[in-house]
Amino acid sequence: MTVPKTGVLVLDCSEPEALARFYAALLDAEVGPADGDSDLLLLTGGAGVLLGIRRDLGHAPPSWPRPEDSLQAHLRILVEPDLLDEAEREAVGLGARPVDATQDSMGPEQRTDQRRYTDPAGHSFVLAAVRQSSGA
């Protein structure tokens, strides 16, 4: 029998409270402490834990896009295609910074179905237009 498990992406930063507020507002989630770890905050929503934010006093923001075109890791936030512009306004209003798509590996042709940003602590994320199924 396999032991039930779940995984969560954890972002390191020097000010986890502020970054947790950013993602909680963007993802319509609640923020709470992780049991047994005073440096970790967990964002939860209807589907359970969505994201972790951990204090790292020596954190250096990632560099993206990197010259060698490596994203390393990024958060992909799925949005209905007809709501992409609204999601972009919301993200930027909360403090996200757009990344110039011409600087990444796609070259000068920018895809219209996804938009790249960095969060207030410098982590990369993408708003991606994906038609979500209405069934479970």
Side-chain angles (χ1 to χ4, degrees), residues 10 26-27 32 36 41 49 51 58 66 68 73 78 83 95 102-103 107 109 111 114 123 130 132:
V10 175
L26 187 62
L27 298 172
L41 297 172
V49 176
L51 185 64
R66 293 169 50 124
E68 55 274 7
L78 307 179
L83 297 175
T102 61
Q103 294 178 8
E109 290 187 29
R111 290 182 59 172
Q114 63 184 24
H123 303 101
V130 175
Q132 311 222 3

Side-chain angles (χ1 to χ4, degrees), residues 20 39 62 98 129:
D39 287 330

